[in-house]
Amino acid sequence: NAGVTQTPKFQVLKTGQSMTLQCAQDMNHEYMSWYRQDPGMGLRLIHYSVGAGITDQGEVPNGYNVSRSTTEDFPLRLLLAAPSQTSVYFCASSTDRGPGHEQFFGPGTRLTVL
Amino acid sequence: AQSVSQHNHHVILSEAASLELGCNYSYGGTVNLFWYVQYPGQHLQLLLKYFSGDPLVKGIKGFEAEFIKSKFSFNLRKPSVQWSDTAEYFCAVNGAYEKLTFGTGTRLTIIP
């Protein structure tokens, strides 16, 4: 049971490039989400999904796309990378988005956009 | 909309000192409250959570938190910290049918 896995661990992009951050979980969790972590700002929700085929925007969705074709995978796409997207990205999953449910986090991807 | 405030940005303590990290939230209804910890170079993991019942919640590694509804607070405490408690601590809240909202985090440094 690997939990939540993310690849890559580190990535450097140039402004305008695109890339996909991968996230997978093997716990059969319905709810998955992407956060970005910036100094002094905590974690902010980018996008989330309550099940395969269903996604929705979080607090800071601009510049990011997601899809959820399977229960296991929830990739995050940066369409045209900008320096403001330099951050640490965490994927998380949970059995439900309802009250009291713990979210399990992946190890994170540290992204630098030059 | 719900929000979370962590007023201590960086706390420095000596080993064996007592710890209290503040967390205040704003939300008009029933809430669920969490403390997550992020050790250096690691991902976030749950320390403890409250969603009903006894307002004094005990978590892993000797941590506890008390939900005080009248003060909209959920402060984290530990009677005697260790060097291994050095980490960043995040308070989080979600109201019914709301997404999880995190505070800005408190960096805790324990001096041996």
Tab-separated table of all heavy atoms in Angstrom, chain A residues 31 35 37 40-43 45 48 57-58 90 97-108, chain B residues 32 34 36 38 41-46 49 51 88 90 94 96-100 102-105:
chain	number	residue	atom	x	y	z
A	31	TYR	N	-12.304	11.045	-2.998
A	31	TYR	CA	-12.011	12.476	-2.992
A	31	TYR	C	-10.511	12.720	-3.132
A	31	TYR	O	-9.722	12.150	-2.386
A	31	TYR	CB	-12.503	13.089	-1.684
A	31	TYR	CG	-12.340	14.581	-1.590
A	31	TYR	CD1	-13.113	15.436	-2.367
A	31	TYR	CD2	-11.419	15.145	-0.707
A	31	TYR	CE1	-12.965	16.811	-2.277
A	31	TYR	CE2	-11.270	16.523	-0.614
A	31	TYR	CZ	-12.054	17.340	-1.398
A	31	TYR	OH	-11.912	18.704	-1.301
A	35	TYR	N	-3.162	20.969	-3.767
A	35	TYR	CA	-2.867	22.195	-3.032
A	35	TYR	C	-1.509	22.728	-3.494
A	35	TYR	O	-0.649	21.968	-3.911
A	35	TYR	CB	-2.755	21.927	-1.524
A	35	TYR	CG	-4.032	21.483	-0.854
A	35	TYR	CD1	-4.390	20.141	-0.812
A	35	TYR	CD2	-4.865	22.404	-0.232
A	35	TYR	CE1	-5.548	19.730	-0.174
A	35	TYR	CE2	-6.031	22.005	0.408
A	35	TYR	CZ	-6.358	20.665	0.422
A	35	TYR	OH	-7.508	20.266	1.067
A	37	GLN	N	1.619	25.091	-1.753
A	37	GLN	CA	2.105	25.593	-0.475
A	37	GLN	C	3.136	26.662	-0.733
A	37	GLN	O	4.165	26.403	-1.357
A	37	GLN	CB	2.720	24.468	0.360
A	37	GLN	CG	3.173	24.921	1.729
A	37	GLN	CD	3.842	23.820	2.525
A	37	GLN	OE1	4.364	22.859	1.975
A	37	GLN	NE2	3.818	23.945	3.842
A	40	GLY	N	4.352	31.508	4.175
A	40	GLY	CA	3.481	32.507	4.792
A	40	GLY	C	2.038	32.455	4.345
A	40	GLY	O	1.221	33.263	4.787
A	41	MET	N	1.709	31.500	3.468
A	41	MET	CA	0.335	31.438	2.953
A	41	MET	C	-0.318	30.095	3.220
A	41	MET	O	-1.464	29.873	2.825
A	41	MET	CB	0.320	31.744	1.453
A	41	MET	CG	0.928	33.092	1.131
A	41	MET	SD	0.638	33.627	-0.539
A	41	MET	CE	-1.064	34.142	-0.422
A	42	GLY	N	0.371	29.180	3.836
A	42	GLY	CA	-0.221	27.883	4.124
A	42	GLY	C	-0.491	27.105	2.850
A	42	GLY	O	0.171	27.284	1.834
A	43	LEU	N	-1.479	26.246	2.909
A	43	LEU	CA	-1.885	25.454	1.748
A	43	LEU	C	-3.161	26.035	1.163
A	43	LEU	O	-4.115	26.294	1.885
A	43	LEU	CB	-2.142	23.995	2.153
A	43	LEU	CG	-0.923	23.117	2.284
A	43	LEU	CD1	-0.258	23.327	3.630
A	43	LEU	CD2	-1.296	21.658	2.113
A	45	LEU	N	-6.114	25.484	-1.872
A	45	LEU	CA	-6.707	24.470	-2.728
A	45	LEU	C	-6.770	24.957	-4.169
A	45	LEU	O	-7.299	26.036	-4.445
A	45	LEU	CB	-8.110	24.137	-2.210
A	45	LEU	CG	-8.879	23.049	-2.922
A	45	LEU	CD1	-8.187	21.702	-2.764
A	45	LEU	CD2	-10.305	22.976	-2.376
A	48	TYR	N	-10.180	20.135	-7.034
A	48	TYR	CA	-10.492	18.903	-6.329
A	48	TYR	C	-11.452	18.067	-7.161
A	48	TYR	O	-12.048	18.551	-8.136
A	48	TYR	CB	-11.061	19.179	-4.933
A	48	TYR	CG	-12.407	19.858	-4.920
A	48	TYR	CD1	-13.581	19.124	-4.762
A	48	TYR	CD2	-12.516	21.238	-5.042
A	48	TYR	CE1	-14.814	19.748	-4.738
A	48	TYR	CE2	-13.743	21.866	-5.020
A	48	TYR	CZ	-14.883	21.120	-4.862
A	48	TYR	OH	-16.120	21.739	-4.846
A	57	GLN	N	-13.301	23.582	-9.120
A	57	GLN	CA	-12.249	24.532	-8.797
A	57	GLN	C	-12.174	24.784	-7.300
A	57	GLN	O	-13.173	24.778	-6.598
A	57	GLN	CB	-12.521	25.857	-9.514
A	57	GLN	CG	-12.458	25.753	-11.022
A	57	GLN	CD	-12.715	27.099	-11.688
A	57	GLN	OE1	-13.126	28.064	-11.044
A	57	GLN	NE2	-12.458	27.167	-12.983
A	58	GLY	N	-10.949	25.048	-6.870
A	58	GLY	CA	-10.746	25.447	-5.495
A	58	GLY	C	-10.520	26.939	-5.400
A	58	GLY	O	-11.094	27.723	-6.156
A	90	PHE	N	1.096	19.769	-3.440
A	90	PHE	CA	0.726	18.553	-2.731
A	90	PHE	C	-0.598	18.028	-3.264
A	90	PHE	O	-1.559	18.773	-3.446
A	90	PHE	CB	0.575	18.812	-1.232
A	90	PHE	CG	1.874	19.044	-0.531
A	90	PHE	CD1	2.296	20.327	-0.240
A	90	PHE	CD2	2.681	17.971	-0.170
A	90	PHE	CE1	3.504	20.546	0.412
A	90	PHE	CE2	3.885	18.179	0.480
A	90	PHE	CZ	4.299	19.466	0.759
A	97	ARG	N	-15.309	13.835	1.170
A	97	ARG	CA	-15.047	15.232	1.498
A	97	ARG	C	-15.881	15.684	2.703
A	97	ARG	O	-15.768	16.811	3.145
A	97	ARG	CB	-15.349	16.155	0.331
A	97	ARG	CG	-16.818	16.271	0.015
A	97	ARG	CD	-17.039	17.421	-0.942
A	97	ARG	NE	-18.387	17.402	-1.478
A	97	ARG	CZ	-18.934	18.432	-2.087
A	97	ARG	NH1	-18.255	19.535	-2.240
A	97	ARG	NH2	-20.158	18.361	-2.555
A	98	GLY	N	-16.678	14.779	3.205
A	98	GLY	CA	-17.552	15.131	4.304
A	98	GLY	C	-16.808	15.403	5.583
A	98	GLY	O	-15.591	15.252	5.669
A	99	PRO	N	-17.521	15.797	6.606
A	99	PRO	CA	-16.888	16.233	7.854
A	99	PRO	C	-16.094	15.131	8.533
A	99	PRO	O	-16.461	13.972	8.519
A	99	PRO	CB	-18.073	16.662	8.717
A	99	PRO	CG	-19.255	15.990	8.131
A	99	PRO	CD	-18.989	15.876	6.669
A	100	GLY	N	-14.971	15.552	9.120
A	100	GLY	CA	-14.204	14.650	9.964
A	100	GLY	C	-13.302	13.696	9.239
A	100	GLY	O	-12.673	12.855	9.860
A	101	HIS	N	-13.228	13.777	7.912
A	101	HIS	CA	-12.409	12.807	7.191
A	101	HIS	C	-10.996	13.313	6.988
A	101	HIS	O	-10.785	14.392	6.454
A	101	HIS	CB	-13.048	12.479	5.848
A	101	HIS	CG	-14.299	11.667	5.986
A	101	HIS	ND1	-14.277	10.297	6.095
A	101	HIS	CD2	-15.583	12.033	6.082
A	101	HIS	CE1	-15.518	9.853	6.235
A	101	HIS	NE2	-16.321	10.882	6.237
A	102	GLU	N	-10.035	12.495	7.392
A	102	GLU	CA	-8.628	12.835	7.264
A	102	GLU	C	-8.214	12.823	5.810
A	102	GLU	O	-8.595	11.936	5.042
A	102	GLU	CB	-7.784	11.838	8.040
A	102	GLU	CG	-6.282	12.024	7.882
A	102	GLU	CD	-5.497	10.921	8.536
A	102	GLU	OE1	-6.123	10.032	9.161
A	102	GLU	OE2	-4.262	10.920	8.436
A	103	GLN	N	-7.412	13.801	5.417
A	103	GLN	CA	-6.824	13.780	4.090
A	103	GLN	C	-5.408	13.218	4.192
A	103	GLN	O	-4.664	13.555	5.106
A	103	GLN	CB	-6.790	15.185	3.496
A	103	GLN	CG	-8.173	15.726	3.204
A	103	GLN	CD	-8.181	16.741	2.093
A	103	GLN	OE1	-7.455	16.622	1.115
A	103	GLN	NE2	-9.004	17.764	2.243
A	104	PHE	N	-5.063	12.362	3.262
A	104	PHE	CA	-3.737	11.774	3.196
A	104	PHE	C	-2.956	12.492	2.092
A	104	PHE	O	-3.428	12.585	0.964
A	104	PHE	CB	-3.822	10.278	2.894
A	104	PHE	CG	-4.461	9.490	3.996
A	104	PHE	CD1	-5.846	9.385	4.083
A	104	PHE	CD2	-3.691	8.869	4.959
A	104	PHE	CE1	-6.441	8.668	5.108
A	104	PHE	CE2	-4.270	8.154	5.987
A	104	PHE	CZ	-5.655	8.053	6.068
A	105	PHE	N	-1.774	12.959	2.448
A	105	PHE	CA	-0.998	13.773	1.529
A	105	PHE	C	0.130	12.985	0.877
A	105	PHE	O	0.724	12.081	1.485
A	105	PHE	CB	-0.414	14.986	2.250
A	105	PHE	CG	-1.430	16.042	2.548
A	105	PHE	CD1	-2.230	15.952	3.676
A	105	PHE	CD2	-1.602	17.113	1.694
A	105	PHE	CE1	-3.192	16.917	3.948
A	105	PHE	CE2	-2.550	18.091	1.957
A	105	PHE	CZ	-3.351	17.996	3.082
A	106	GLY	N	0.433	13.376	-0.349
A	106	GLY	CA	1.610	12.858	-1.026
A	106	GLY	C	2.853	13.611	-0.584
A	106	GLY	O	2.768	14.575	0.172
A	107	PRO	N	4.026	13.217	-1.073
A	107	PRO	CA	5.292	13.811	-0.646
A	107	PRO	C	5.570	15.177	-1.239
A	107	PRO	O	6.490	15.860	-0.814
A	107	PRO	CB	6.333	12.789	-1.101
A	107	PRO	CG	5.691	12.103	-2.249
A	107	PRO	CD	4.233	12.058	-1.958
A	108	GLY	N	4.811	15.576	-2.248
A	108	GLY	CA	4.978	16.908	-2.816
A	108	GLY	C	5.867	16.942	-4.041
A	108	GLY	O	6.721	16.070	-4.251
B	32	ASN	N	-15.484	21.146	11.717
B	32	ASN	CA	-14.545	20.075	12.020
B	32	ASN	C	-13.153	20.692	11.987
B	32	ASN	O	-12.853	21.493	11.109
B	32	ASN	CB	-14.638	18.972	10.977
B	32	ASN	CG	-16.067	18.505	10.825
B	32	ASN	OD1	-16.597	17.846	11.688
B	32	ASN	ND2	-16.705	18.888	9.733
B	34	PHE	N	-8.812	20.377	12.562
B	34	PHE	CA	-7.679	19.482	12.392
B	34	PHE	C	-6.382	20.215	12.716
B	34	PHE	O	-6.270	21.425	12.514
B	34	PHE	CB	-7.576	19.003	10.933
B	34	PHE	CG	-8.821	18.371	10.384
B	34	PHE	CD1	-9.869	19.159	9.927
B	34	PHE	CD2	-8.942	16.989	10.307
B	34	PHE	CE1	-11.025	18.591	9.409
B	34	PHE	CE2	-10.095	16.412	9.778
B	34	PHE	CZ	-11.121	17.213	9.338
B	36	TYR	N	-2.461	19.465	11.429
B	36	TYR	CA	-1.538	18.673	10.637
B	36	TYR	C	-0.120	19.122	10.970
B	36	TYR	O	0.128	20.284	11.294
B	36	TYR	CB	-1.776	18.867	9.141
B	36	TYR	CG	-2.953	18.106	8.584
B	36	TYR	CD1	-4.244	18.612	8.655
B	36	TYR	CD2	-2.764	16.858	7.973
B	36	TYR	CE1	-5.318	17.910	8.143
B	36	TYR	CE2	-3.839	16.155	7.454
B	36	TYR	CZ	-5.102	16.685	7.539
B	36	TYR	OH	-6.171	15.987	7.024
B	38	GLN	N	4.032	18.969	9.516
B	38	GLN	CA	4.925	18.705	8.388
B	38	GLN	C	6.358	18.747	8.912
B	38	GLN	O	6.905	19.824	9.179
B	38	GLN	CB	4.721	19.732	7.280
B	38	GLN	CG	5.519	19.458	6.032
B	38	GLN	CD	5.247	20.479	4.940
B	38	GLN	OE1	4.897	21.627	5.205
B	38	GLN	NE2	5.408	20.071	3.695
B	41	GLY	N	11.185	18.254	5.219
B	41	GLY	CA	11.352	17.395	4.055
B	41	GLY	C	10.289	16.328	3.885
B	41	GLY	O	10.409	15.473	3.003
B	42	GLN	N	9.263	16.365	4.727
B	42	GLN	CA	8.225	15.336	4.634
B	42	GLN	C	6.871	15.935	4.262
B	42	GLN	O	6.701	17.147	4.222
B	42	GLN	CB	8.121	14.589	5.964
B	42	GLN	CG	9.392	13.828	6.330
B	42	GLN	CD	9.178	12.933	7.531
B	42	GLN	OE1	8.062	12.499	7.820
B	42	GLN	NE2	10.252	12.653	8.243
B	43	HIS	N	5.916	15.057	3.998
B	43	HIS	CA	4.588	15.536	3.661
B	43	HIS	C	3.754	15.733	4.924
B	43	HIS	O	4.163	15.334	6.012
B	43	HIS	CB	3.908	14.551	2.714
B	43	HIS	CG	3.809	13.160	3.248
B	43	HIS	ND1	4.849	12.263	3.203
B	43	HIS	CD2	2.789	12.524	3.864
B	43	HIS	CE1	4.471	11.132	3.747
B	43	HIS	NE2	3.239	11.257	4.162
B	44	LEU	N	2.633	16.352	4.760
B	44	LEU	CA	1.761	16.610	5.897
B	44	LEU	C	1.155	15.314	6.416
B	44	LEU	O	0.789	14.420	5.654
B	44	LEU	CB	0.609	17.537	5.497
B	44	LEU	CG	0.912	19.018	5.487
B	44	LEU	CD1	1.591	19.392	4.193
B	44	LEU	CD2	-0.367	19.817	5.661
B	45	GLN	N	1.031	15.263	7.727
B	45	GLN	CA	0.326	14.133	8.332
B	45	GLN	C	-0.549	14.634	9.460
B	45	GLN	O	-0.261	15.654	10.086
B	45	GLN	CB	1.310	13.066	8.822
B	45	GLN	CG	2.381	13.567	9.751
B	45	GLN	CD	3.403	12.481	10.053
B	45	GLN	OE1	3.127	11.538	10.790
B	45	GLN	NE2	4.573	12.607	9.484
B	46	LEU	N	-1.615	13.906	9.712
B	46	LEU	CA	-2.591	14.328	10.700
B	46	LEU	C	-2.068	14.108	12.114
B	46	LEU	O	-1.596	13.036	12.457
B	46	LEU	CB	-3.889	13.546	10.506
B	46	LEU	CG	-5.050	13.941	11.408
B	46	LEU	CD1	-5.567	15.319	11.027
B	46	LEU	CD2	-6.178	12.913	11.290
B	49	LYS	N	-7.732	15.459	15.329
B	49	LYS	CA	-8.897	16.093	14.731
B	49	LYS	C	-10.046	16.117	15.736
B	49	LYS	O	-10.110	15.303	16.657
B	49	LYS	CB	-9.343	15.353	13.476
B	49	LYS	CG	-9.856	13.945	13.724
B	49	LYS	CD	-10.286	13.274	12.423
B	49	LYS	CE	-10.819	11.870	12.697
B	49	LYS	NZ	-11.205	11.175	11.438
B	51	PHE	N	-14.367	16.503	15.577
B	51	PHE	CA	-15.607	16.783	14.855
B	51	PHE	C	-16.844	16.642	15.733
B	51	PHE	O	-17.904	17.106	15.369
B	51	PHE	CB	-15.737	15.970	13.561
B	51	PHE	CG	-15.670	14.494	13.717
B	51	PHE	CD1	-16.812	13.737	13.820
B	51	PHE	CD2	-14.453	13.834	13.723
B	51	PHE	CE1	-16.750	12.364	13.937
B	51	PHE	CE2	-14.376	12.462	13.836
B	51	PHE	CZ	-15.525	11.722	13.948
B	88	GLU	N	6.624	22.173	10.977
B	88	GLU	CA	5.629	23.213	10.737
B	88	GLU	C	4.252	22.622	11.037
B	88	GLU	O	3.956	21.490	10.652
B	88	GLU	CB	5.690	23.720	9.305
B	88	GLU	CG	4.844	24.966	9.080
B	88	GLU	CD	5.370	25.871	7.981
B	88	GLU	OE1	6.195	25.410	7.178
B	88	GLU	OE2	4.935	27.050	7.931
B	90	PHE	N	0.065	23.043	11.002
B	90	PHE	CA	-1.032	23.705	10.311
B	90	PHE	C	-2.357	23.349	10.974
B	90	PHE	O	-2.661	22.183	11.179
B	90	PHE	CB	-1.100	23.267	8.842
B	90	PHE	CG	0.061	23.706	8.016
B	90	PHE	CD1	1.165	22.889	7.864
B	90	PHE	CD2	0.050	24.937	7.388
B	90	PHE	CE1	2.247	23.289	7.092
B	90	PHE	CE2	1.128	25.348	6.612
B	90	PHE	CZ	2.233	24.524	6.465
B	94	ASN	N	-13.018	22.624	8.386
B	94	ASN	CA	-14.040	22.586	7.349
B	94	ASN	C	-15.409	22.550	7.995
B	94	ASN	O	-15.677	21.757	8.899
B	94	ASN	CB	-13.829	21.451	6.341
B	94	ASN	CG	-14.225	20.102	6.845
B	94	ASN	OD1	-13.827	19.701	7.933
B	94	ASN	ND2	-15.028	19.392	6.084
B	96	ALA	N	-19.614	22.206	7.533
B	96	ALA	CA	-20.425	21.209	6.831
B	96	ALA	C	-20.490	21.544	5.343
B	96	ALA	O	-20.793	22.669	4.962
B	96	ALA	CB	-21.828	21.181	7.420
B	97	TYR	N	-20.136	20.586	4.513
B	97	TYR	CA	-20.178	20.722	3.053
B	97	TYR	C	-19.198	21.754	2.518
B	97	TYR	O	-19.298	22.178	1.376
B	97	TYR	CB	-21.596	21.039	2.567
B	97	TYR	CG	-22.606	20.045	3.090
B	97	TYR	CD1	-23.502	20.413	4.078
B	97	TYR	CD2	-22.610	18.724	2.653
B	97	TYR	CE1	-24.390	19.496	4.595
B	97	TYR	CE2	-23.501	17.803	3.173
B	97	TYR	CZ	-24.395	18.203	4.140
B	97	TYR	OH	-25.273	17.306	4.660
B	98	GLU	N	-18.250	22.168	3.356
B	98	GLU	CA	-17.227	23.105	2.910
B	98	GLU	C	-15.933	22.349	2.648
B	98	GLU	O	-15.700	21.273	3.182
B	98	GLU	CB	-16.965	24.169	3.994
B	98	GLU	CG	-18.143	25.086	4.267
B	98	GLU	CD	-18.299	26.149	3.210
B	98	GLU	OE1	-17.347	26.388	2.445
B	98	GLU	OE2	-19.401	26.739	3.145
B	99	LYS	N	-15.090	22.937	1.836
B	99	LYS	CA	-13.771	22.355	1.599
B	99	LYS	C	-12.852	22.695	2.769
B	99	LYS	O	-13.086	23.608	3.523
B	99	LYS	CB	-13.215	22.878	0.284
B	99	LYS	CG	-14.057	22.458	-0.923
B	99	LYS	CD	-13.578	23.092	-2.199
B	99	LYS	CE	-14.050	24.524	-2.332
B	99	LYS	NZ	-15.513	24.593	-2.513
B	100	LEU	N	-11.801	21.928	2.893
B	100	LEU	CA	-10.856	22.130	3.981
B	100	LEU	C	-10.062	23.409	3.747
B	100	LEU	O	-9.533	23.628	2.661
B	100	LEU	CB	-9.915	20.927	4.048
B	100	LEU	CG	-9.072	20.743	5.304
B	100	LEU	CD1	-9.962	20.542	6.514
B	100	LEU	CD2	-8.149	19.543	5.119
B	102	PHE	N	-6.899	25.741	5.260
B	102	PHE	CA	-5.728	25.691	6.123
B	102	PHE	C	-5.336	27.078	6.603
B	102	PHE	O	-5.516	28.082	5.903
B	102	PHE	CB	-4.529	25.096	5.370
B	102	PHE	CG	-4.592	23.615	5.200
B	102	PHE	CD1	-5.284	23.049	4.141
B	102	PHE	CD2	-3.960	22.770	6.098
B	102	PHE	CE1	-5.354	21.673	3.979
B	102	PHE	CE2	-4.013	21.392	5.947
B	102	PHE	CZ	-4.714	20.847	4.889
B	103	GLY	N	-4.755	27.121	7.804
B	103	GLY	CA	-4.099	28.328	8.266
B	103	GLY	C	-2.740	28.475	7.600
B	103	GLY	O	-2.312	27.598	6.843
B	104	THR	N	-2.071	29.573	7.897
B	104	THR	CA	-0.788	29.861	7.247
B	104	THR	C	0.370	29.077	7.850
B	104	THR	O	1.468	29.108	7.314
B	104	THR	CB	-0.476	31.350	7.314
B	104	THR	OG1	-0.555	31.773	8.674
B	104	THR	CG2	-1.455	32.154	6.483
B	105	GLY	N	0.129	28.403	8.952
B	105	GLY	CA	1.166	27.549	9.520
B	105	GLY	C	1.992	28.244	10.591
B	105	GLY	O	2.151	29.472	10.591
